[in-house]
Amino acid sequence: MPSHCPALPKAGGPTTPPSSPNSSPTAPPLTLSSVANGVVAAAPALSLLLFSRLSGERDDRTQKPAMMASMALVALFDVLTSLLSALPSLLVTRLGLGLGRGLAEAGEQGMLVDLAGRAPAPRGQALALQQAAVGLGVAIGAPMGGVVVEEFGPRSALLCVSAAVVAALGMYALLPEMAAAAASSSPRKDAGDNWR
């Protein structure tokens, strides 16, 4: 899922005047140091690390609601990132983004495993199709995002991502709930207990 924070200008470097057509439509340009920029970019990964087990346990109980909630979190925190400039608030929004991504990715992978268990014969093709869809999203989204960023500024990319995430939330609503069915036919809980 392309939900990372776009590269931000370094402190002391050139910034775009507010009157420029390339300036952000929502907030003044950011001027973060290289270290601060790296910390903001790494915050979602840190959140993924800290909440990975919690996300997995939550998705083992129910995948679909967790995945939908995660998409709502990702959209919310990406929009908030586009509106904020202070480093502490940016860290909070990027940590929240990581939590949403963790719930989403754990649910997606769990649902793929459960679906593969129901139809083991074509599972390789199904997983390949899923990876192809991910690659297609990046191949289309990256050039389109570049055009948007050039026209409206780096923060606009976050708004585009939020719109795509809301669309994904709607598509998740059409998926069946797999966790309950899988729990009745496989020892997922017992396997999870071995991690403790």
Side-chain angles (χ1 to χ4, degrees):
M1 180 188 314
S3 303
H4 62 280
C5 184
L8 305 174
K10 298 179 182 179
T15 57
T16 307
S19 59
S20 167
N22 289 334
S23 61
S24 166
T26 53
L30 288 173
T31 53
L32 298 179
S33 68
S34 296
V35 173
N37 204 359
V39 169
V40 170
L46 176 62
S47 188
L48 278 168
L49 175 65
L50 294 176
F51 295 106
S52 60
R53 178 172 176 175
L54 175 65
S55 299
E57 291 177 347
R58 179 69 178 82
D59 284 305
D60 275 339
R61 291 193 296 272
T62 174
Q63 291 166 349
K64 181 177 174 179
M67 291 165 64
M68 294 180 67
S70 71
M71 291 292 98
L73 285 175
V74 169
L76 171 65
F77 285 115
D78 269 341
V79 169
L80 289 176
T81 302
S82 73
L83 299 173
L84 300 172
S85 298
L87 179 59
S89 57
L90 285 173
L91 287 175
V92 171
T93 60
R94 304 323 282 169
L95 288 170
L97 169 77
L99 174 61
R101 285 182 55 195
L103 285 169
E105 292 177 12
E108 290 166 4
Q109 296 303 315
M111 185 168 284
L112 284 172
V113 170
D114 293 336
L115 286 171
R118 285 190 173 190
R123 63 187 173 191
Q125 298 177 38
L127 292 173
L129 182 61
Q130 189 261 352
Q131 291 300 312
V134 172
L136 180 63
V138 175
I140 296 175
M144 291 180 62
V147 172
V148 172
V149 167
E150 286 187 356
E151 184 67 25
F152 300 106
R155 292 173 184 270
S156 59
L158 295 165
L159 300 179
C160 292
V161 169
S162 298
V165 167
V166 171
L169 192 158
M171 288 186 282
Y172 280 172
L174 304 176
L175 296 174
E177 175 59 73
M178 298 294 299
S184 63
S185 60
S186 65
R188 290 183 61 174
K189 185 178 186 304
D190 295 339
D193 289 341
N194 294 332
W195 195 11
R196 294 183 173 84

